[in-house]
Amino acid sequence: MSKRILLVDDEPLILKGLKFTLEQEGYETDSALDGEEALAKFMEGSYDLILLDVMLPKLDGMGVCQRIREHSNVPIIMLTAKGEDMDKILGLEYGADDYIPKPFNILEVKARIKAILRRAGNAPVPAPAEERKIVRVRDLEVNLVKRTVTLGGQDVKLTAKEFDLLQMFINNRGEVFTRRQMLETVWKYDYTGDDRTVDVHIRRLREKIERNTSQPEFIFTKWGVGYYFTDKD
């Protein structure tokens, strides 16, 4: 079955070009010219991925992303003008999976879409044994099947990418990951953008699972190298 993609941009020529290219690749596409139309189509239809411009009339892309995240973890790629604040795009409030700056190369758009759909379709499922489903590190509890997290008995809401990062760390406790290794492991493609993507996600993840981000309990920085997770006191 072909994948369905919702294309959202207020420039008809961009929509026309994306629609033509992606349908040539075998995808089914639907399109919207503003944020309200995008939300209406999302609520009425079923999509495997959403390509969403940040600057939209009626309701901007950030608002659309936030509203969608109240209902679904469907992969969302944001299209951004140069100079947009990536913290906001990939941040705690919105939960986008990736971003592509404008003007974009259509080959890069196709590669990002393919990689994210592949990752979404091939998410690893842990072995069914109960001890493999749930990992406890002190009072942090991670259910790898249900993809839920609690800290001190309180639910912690993570975006899909934040959970993927946490799962990578938990499955490789003590191992130091460079930013490039994290991009290749979690984003699943040869990322050509800014390595700061990783730093943004790590900071957001720390804000959610660390009681004091200046004195972390779980995720530590190896200066000049990258990050690692430890279960040692």
Side-chain angles (χ1 to χ4, degrees), residues 120-221:
N122 295 307
V125 178
E130 188 64 27
E131 63 270 18
R132 296 288 297 277
K133 291 180 181 178
I134 298 176
V135 177
R136 295 180 181 89
V137 181
R138 295 185 290 280
D139 59 348
L140 178 70
E141 181 174 294
V142 182
N143 189 312
L144 299 175
V145 174
K146 295 181 179 179
R147 292 175 65 87
T148 58
V149 177
T150 62
L151 180 65
Q154 300 296 312
D155 289 338
V156 178
K157 301 297 184 185
L158 300 184
T159 67
K161 276 292 193 303
E162 289 165 354
F163 188 92
D164 290 343
L165 275 172
L166 181 58
Q167 182 171 359
M168 177 201 73
F169 280 130
I170 282 177
N171 288 339
N172 300 276
R173 276 168 270 186
E175 181 176 346
V176 179
F177 285 87
T178 67
R179 291 168 178 79
R180 183 59 49 179
Q181 286 173 323
M182 283 184 273
L183 286 168
E184 292 172 353
T185 300
V186 173
W187 278 257
K188 298 293 186 187
Y189 55 82
D190 186 13
Y191 188 83
T192 58
D194 191 342
D195 284 0
R196 186 166 166 257
T197 298
V198 170
D199 295 326
V200 170
H201 280 81
I202 292 291
R203 192 181 74 248
R204 296 294 189 178
L205 179 57
R206 278 174 163 167
E207 288 171 352
K208 294 179 180 182
I209 69 169
E210 304 284 9
R211 292 176 180 83
N212 182 350
T213 55
S214 64
Q215 296 181 324
E217 301 174 56
F218 304 108
I219 299 174
F220 291 81
T221 301

Side-chain angles (χ1 to χ4, degrees), residues 8 42 56 75 101 112 118 121 138 149 171 225 230:
V8 188
F42 164 76
L56 294 171
R112 300 285 186 96
R118 183 171 62 245
R138 295 185 290 280
V149 177
N171 288 339
V225 183
T230 183

